[in-house]
């Protein structure tokens, strides 16, 4: 397994409010993407606090011998701690009032990826050159899509497509969603902020992710998003699997 990531402010933004952290460990690996919001300073602070808090708890509490249920408990606690850390930081500094961030994180452990998220940063699985979205956006337009009120294409063009319904650090408590995914040799996980998928159509995103997996670098994804407009910060993190990682406990 190889884990790599990259981020860019985009063509139209002067600062980058995205944060990503990733790494390989003795028990597997982790990928974290946070897309901050709340003003020029607040977004930067929120995404960094959330990502670092989540990572630090993972590295402290995950161990190779734990069960899948125990891993989920650790991730739940890490996400809650990230939410509390951002919320508390906003209370302590009036300049940061209202800041928040998305969070999507994957832990690779025992032949599986366990994914937790809140907001509209996404996780995808590339298998046999087919890209499947693993997370469901917490957005106003996703609610409309789920109810059948609008199509996915209409959602991508909706004027309120950026309105998210869950954000880390805005309230003292937050519900996160989990997704599990068994991994096979040749698979690739992609975690990204909306600055990538909003600029790169889904069919093109699949082809570019396949190329990125072969090259072992997400830079081509970032470059294409910028070529297509680069209207937001862009972050992409890949976990590339060349062999089976073992069996889930």
């Amino acid at each position: 397994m190889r884990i790599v990531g990259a981020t860019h402010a985009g063509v139209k933004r002067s600062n980058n409010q995205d944060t990503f952290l990733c790494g390989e460990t003795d028990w597997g690996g982790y990928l974290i993407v946070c897309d901050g919001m709340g003003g020029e300073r607040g977004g930067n602070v929120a995404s960094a606090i959330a990502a670092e808090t989540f990572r630090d708890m993972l590295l402290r509490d995950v161990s190779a011998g734990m069960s899948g249920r125990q891993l989920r408990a650790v991730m739940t606690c890490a996400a809650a701690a990230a939410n509390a850390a951002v919320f508390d930081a906003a209370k302590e500094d009036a300049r940061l009032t209202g800041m928040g961030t998305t969070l999507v994180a994957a832990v690779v452990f025992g032949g599986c990826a366990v994914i937790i998220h809140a907001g509209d940063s996404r996780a995808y699985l590339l298998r046999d050159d087919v890209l499947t979205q693993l997370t469901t956006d917490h957005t106003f337009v996703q609610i409309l899509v789920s109810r059948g009120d609008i199509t996915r294409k209409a959602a991508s063009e909706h004027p309120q497509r950026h309105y998210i319904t869950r954000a880390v650090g805005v309230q003292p408590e937050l519900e996160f969603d989990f997704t599990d995914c068994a991994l096979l040799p040749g698979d690739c996980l992609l975690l990204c902020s909306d600055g990538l998928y909003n600029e790169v159509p889904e069919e093109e995103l699949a082809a570019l992710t396949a190329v990125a997996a072969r090259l072992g670098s997400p830079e081509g994804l970032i470059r294409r998003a910028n070529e297509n407009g680069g209207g937001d910060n862009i972050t992409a993190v890949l976990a590339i699997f060349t062999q089976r990682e073992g069996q889930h406990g």
Side-chain angles (χ1 to χ4, degrees), residues 184-202:
L184 300 174
D187 285 352
C188 178
L189 278 178
L190 166 65
L191 269 61
C192 65
S193 60
D194 64 341
L196 177 64
Y197 66 75
N198 281 335
E199 296 289 6
V200 182
E202 196 166 293

Side-chain angles (χ1 to χ4, degrees), residues 8-17 40 44 230-233:
H8 192 278
V11 174
K12 299 178 181 178
R13 298 288 179 93
S14 59
N15 69 318
N16 192 345
Q17 298 189 15
E40 184 169 337
N44 299 344
D232 200 354
N233 305 150

Side-chain angles (χ1 to χ4, degrees), residues 78-143:
N83 185 73
V86 175
F87 183 78
D88 290 346
K91 285 199 304 182
E92 292 168 3
D93 187 340
R95 294 171 296 176
L96 303 178
T97 298
M99 72 175 178
T101 182
T102 69
L103 184 147
V104 60
V107 173
V108 180
F109 186 89
C112 288
V114 182
I115 299 158
I116 189 170
H117 89 288
D120 64 352
S121 294
R122 291 180 179 176
Y124 292 89
L125 174 68
L126 181 76
R127 176 174 291 166
D128 298 328
D129 294 331
V130 175
L131 192 68
T132 302
Q133 185 177 331
L134 300 177
T135 53
T136 300
D137 298 342
H138 298 134
T139 60
F140 172 71
V141 294
Q142 181 59 50
I143 293 173

Side-chain angles (χ1 to χ4, degrees), residues 42-102:
N44 299 344
V45 173
S47 65
I49 290 174
E52 291 167 8
T53 301
F54 190 91
R55 177 205 54 194
D56 291 349
M57 289 193 68
L58 282 186
L59 295 180
R60 186 190 72 186
D61 294 337
V62 175
S63 61
M66 65 174 33
S67 67
R69 180 177 295 180
Q70 289 171 321
L71 174 60
R72 276 186 172 231
V74 170
M75 294 176 68
T76 299
C77 289
N83 185 73
V86 175
F87 183 78
D88 290 346
K91 285 199 304 182
E92 292 168 3
D93 187 340
R95 294 171 296 176
L96 303 178
T97 298
M99 72 175 178
T101 182
T102 69

Side-chain angles (χ1 to χ4, degrees), residues 151-192:
T151 64
R152 286 176 61 88
K153 178 172 174 51
S156 69
E157 301 167 351
H158 198 283
Q160 295 176 311
R161 63 187 179 276
H162 299 300
Y163 290 14
I164 65 174
T165 56
R166 298 188 205 177
V168 175
V170 176
Q171 300 292 335
E173 295 183 358
L174 178 65
E175 180 181 359
F176 292 83
D177 287 349
F178 272 101
T179 306
D180 288 0
C181 176
L183 299 169
L184 300 174
D187 285 352
C188 178
L189 278 178
L190 166 65
L191 269 61
C192 65

Side-chain angles (χ1 to χ4, degrees), residues 202-214:
E202 196 166 293
E203 61 277 7
E204 188 178 15
L205 186 60
L208 289 171
T209 302
V211 172
R214 289 195 293 271

